[in-house]
Amino acid sequence: MPGKFQPTSILVTGGAGFIGSNFINHFLPANPGCRVVNLDLLTYAGNLKNLTAVEKKTDYRFVHGDVCDGELVRRILDEERIDAVLHFAAESHVDRSITGPEIFVRTNVLGTQILLEASREHAGKVRNFRYLQVSTDEVYGSLGAEGYFTEETPLAPNSPYSASKAGADLLVRAYFETFGLPTLNTRCSNNYGPYHFPEKLIPLMIHNIMEEKPLPVYGDGLNVRDWLHVKDHSAAIETVLKGGKPGEIFNIGGNNEWRNIDIVNLVCDLMDDRLKRTPGTSRKLIRFVKDRPGHDRRYAIDASKLKRELGWEPSYTFERGIAETIDWYLSHQEWVAEVVSGAYRQYYREQYAEVGEQ
Ligand code: NAD
Ligand code: DAU
């Protein structure tokens, strides 16, 4: 690949969350000699136990802090001689953005602007620099029965979450156009896999089936999502970071559309099999509930630009990915229990309230 960018010291924001932690677990061992600094506020969604495989590595450092703290961000960029910022940190759950939008604007829009500004001041101090914004297909809004989101699809976000992510994407564009900051912007479809917080559809269903609790399906259950394994997303981000031309946007997706009710039925059947329950047992837990307001009907990503220009393709079949995910949750019940009870949060609050930054 011509002109491949090789970072030596990267700042990952939100690295204790679902995708950020999977990315660090993927990237660190694959890039020996490249330092990884993880800046995370440890909100309800951040869990350092996602990172036990890497936490003792000398090339890894965790900093407890807020992306909206410009002084802290500037200090990290300088003292670690950061040459790439990968911005994962966000408020990520659509339902929470409906009940409390304000924090979404603060974290997702203001947090992005503060990181961009600090990056702009810092970029000239290192030989080569990239800023990569991890975004979502939700910025494009909703599709009807046909068609796909391409990078040219106009932004038409429908939830406070997706509006805040679209606002952030526009700031990224502005920093490239106005200041020449070498930015990259990825827009990915729904991820699934290990360390997924059990408020999102797939891990919530797995957890509720374990506990024999009702499985809430919004509306008629016919909304469509395009599912990608989080490890494929991680590999795609690395590919874009190293090979993407600054100023470009890349869609990332698995070409793997599922209606919600079909995916819930599939998870039910796989769980019945694993838990040795009579076939059909878990499906009886399904309850159709009131629809999500502004519920986007269908997402489907055209990721052909990423394949054509940078050669990335997903490696997981959905059959393998969903089976492995279910087995991961069944073999990590302690992780699930701590997340659901909030025990892990209390522990980190106590630890980091005392010591602040680590
Ligand atoms: P997540 O909610 O699991 O994790 C978010 C992380 O950000 C947490 O560790 C949290 O502590 C941290 N964080 C929140 N506010 C912060 C702040 N002010 N300062 C520092 N850290 C803060 O989210 P996720 O599902 O891993 O999503 C990561 C990124 O990927 C987000 O930007 C999201 O919009 C995007 N994305 C997610 C999906 C998906 O399916 N989950 C798909 C496409 C894009
Ligand atoms: O498309 C990418 C986006 O995918 C990311 O940007 C978001 O951060 C991520 O949370 C995810 O958003 P969704 O709203 O698509 O994911 P969620 O898991 O919340 O819901 C998936 C679908 O399942 C959606 O149509 C709503 C439905 N649903 C969800 C929950 C939590 C239910 O029917 N019941 C539920 O209990």
Side-chain angles (χ1 to χ4, degrees), residues 10-291:
I10 69 171
L11 174 62
V12 172
T13 68
F18 165 47
I19 304 176
S21 62
N22 273 284
F23 177 80
I24 292 175
N25 285 323
H26 156 86
F27 185 88
L28 202 63
N31 290 273
C34 180
R35 193 157 168 74
V36 176
V37 181
N38 172 13
L39 172 64
D40 198 297
L41 189 57
L42 299 179
T43 67
Y44 80 95
N47 186 352
L48 290 179
K49 293 212 173 155
N50 301 0
L51 293 157
T52 45
V54 299
E55 68 189 359
K56 298 221 158 53
K57 291 194 189 291
T58 49
D59 275 341
Y60 172 76
R61 176 185 172 200
F62 173 68
V63 179
H64 180 227
D66 190 339
V67 293
C68 295
D69 181 348
E71 206 177 300
L72 173 63
V73 172
R74 280 184 193 88
R75 193 162 77 234
I76 297 169
L77 295 182
D78 277 344
E79 72 190 21
E80 296 286 353
R81 293 194 56 75
I82 297 293
D83 55 11
V85 171
L86 289 90
H87 184 29
F88 293 81
E91 287 295 330
S92 68
H93 192 37
V94 173
D95 292 334
R96 286 179 190 255
S97 83
I98 295 166
T99 50
E102 193 175 332
I103 185 74
F104 283 73
V105 177
R106 182 190 182 272
T107 300
N108 299 359
V109 184
L110 183 62
T112 298
Q113 190 274 327
I114 285 168
L115 270 181
L116 284 164
E117 186 60 24
S119 298
R120 176 173 86 87
E121 291 163 17
H122 172 78
K125 298 181 190 163
V126 289
R127 200 170 54 83
N128 209 346
F129 184 85
R130 295 286 185 278
Y131 175 99
L132 189 148
Q133 178 77 7
V134 179
S135 189
T136 168
D137 59 358
E138 299 201 9
V139 297
Y140 297 123
S142 183
L143 290 165
E146 304 288 322
Y148 296 89
F149 297 131
T150 73
E151 290 82 358
E152 276 73 48
T153 303
L155 303 190
N158 293 315
S159 72
Y161 162 71
S162 53
S164 70
K165 293 295 289 184
D169 283 8
L170 293 176
L171 283 164
V172 172
R173 177 188 157 90
Y175 270 74
F176 174 74
E177 294 292 340
T178 305
F179 303 114
L181 183 71
T183 59
L184 293 158
N185 198 166
T186 58
R187 293 179 180 152
C188 190
S189 60
N190 286 64
N191 283 217
Y192 70 98
Y195 304 118
H196 204 182
F197 196 89
E199 65 184 351
K200 310 282 170 57
L201 181 72
I202 291 180
L204 178 73
M205 296 299 143
I206 295 173
H207 173 66
N208 284 11
I209 291 168
M210 274 187 212
E211 304 271 306
E212 297 178 69
K213 286 185 178 155
L215 308 177
V217 173
Y218 299 163
D220 61 8
L222 301 182
N223 300 64
V224 173
R225 296 292 181 267
D226 181 356
W227 294 93
L228 180 73
H229 196 281
V230 66
K231 289 186 180 165
D232 280 326
H233 187 190
S234 298
I237 287 175
E238 182 179 4
T239 302
V240 172
L241 174 69
K242 292 180 173 175
K245 191 167 140 244
E248 294 284 308
I249 297 165
F250 290 91
N251 282 351
I252 305 172
N255 205 11
N256 178 40
E257 289 179 55
W258 284 78
R259 300 188 310 184
N260 291 339
I261 187 63
D262 295 335
I263 220 160
V264 172
N265 280 330
L266 175 69
V267 172
C268 285
D269 295 349
L270 289 169
M271 288 290 285
D272 284 348
D273 175 67
R274 299 298 192 280
L275 298 172
K276 311 229 171 325
R277 291 180 183 160
T278 311
T281 304
S282 298
R283 288 190 186 210
K284 293 195 187 114
L285 297 170
I286 294 174
R287 301 283 179 278
F288 287 92
V289 299
K290 193 164 166 287
D291 208 356

Side-chain angles (χ1 to χ4, degrees), residues 292-308:
R292 172 187 279 175
H295 196 176
D296 288 334
R297 194 61 171 169
R298 174 173 166 257
Y299 302 147
I301 272 278
D302 175 350
S304 58
K305 175 179 174 185
L306 183 51
K307 181 177 178 195
R308 195 173 57 248

